[in-house]
Amino acid sequence: MITIGALSKRTGVNIETIRYYERIRLIPPPPRTDSGRRLYGAEDVRRLTFIRHARDLGFDIAAIKTMLALQGVPEAPCEQVSRIATNQLEAVESRIRRLLGLRTELTRMIKECDNGKVATCRIIEVLADSADHPDGP
């Protein structure tokens, strides 16, 4: 059994985040010592590592809860997990497209800048004109 500090170091998850995950029942409340210190076992390390990795990949809490619940049914088909991962991939690809558009727009703005006076700065002009186009580039 390990303390919350050791769990944090082992998994790379902040202590406050671990407490938050307990409050929202993403991880089960651990047993406590007589003095109230939380104690975690190997299953907690595995579960929290899974959660951290899923969060790193951009999965939201609801998706993670679903995948964790499905882990408890090892004989169930993997279709729902695959669907969750596919949806996440589509969201990532959408963000990439948006970021590529942002990069193009920023590159264009910078290239059009003649580094003169702020009063005639093309970057300032483009940003001010963007207010007319709330959907962006």
Side-chain angles (χ1 to χ4, degrees):
M1 300 296 281
I2 60 175
T3 64
I4 195 169
L7 178 65
S8 175
K9 286 179 185 167
R10 193 172 294 179
T11 61
V13 177
N14 181 287
I15 290 172
E16 288 305 315
T17 303
I18 295 170
R19 290 180 181 139
Y20 170 70
Y21 289 162
E22 287 174 19
R23 281 194 306 273
I24 66 169
R25 303 287 189 225
L26 201 54
I27 60 175
R32 293 182 180 248
T33 65
D34 290 339
S35 63
R37 293 183 73 181
R38 295 169 167 89
L39 293 176
Y40 299 89
E43 178 56 29
D44 298 307
V45 172
R46 189 197 65 74
R47 186 177 183 100
L48 194 55
T49 299
F50 174 91
I51 294 166
R52 183 190 51 76
H53 192 205
R55 294 295 288 156
D56 287 347
L57 291 171
F59 289 98
D60 63 21
I61 298 296
I64 294 170
K65 279 185 177 183
T66 300
M67 289 188 287
L68 286 169
L70 288 167
Q71 281 183 350
V73 189
E75 298 303 316
C78 190
E79 183 180 335
Q80 191 173 2
V81 176
S82 181
R83 189 173 35 246
I84 291 169
T86 299
N87 291 341
Q88 182 59 22
L89 177 59
E90 289 169 358
V92 167
E93 288 173 344
S94 175
R95 281 195 301 269
I96 289 170
R97 285 189 300 275
R98 194 176 102 260
L99 288 170
L100 289 171
L102 291 173
R103 181 178 69 182
T104 300
E105 179 68 8
L106 285 168
T107 300
R108 184 184 65 76
M109 286 174 20
I110 293 166
K111 284 181 180 177
E112 290 178 2
C113 180
D114 63 4
N115 291 313
K117 303 282 185 199
V118 170
T120 60
C121 178
R122 183 68 182 130
I123 295 171
I124 299 289
E125 285 178 34
V126 169
L127 291 173
D129 289 344
S130 292
D132 296 334
H133 308 289
D135 294 333

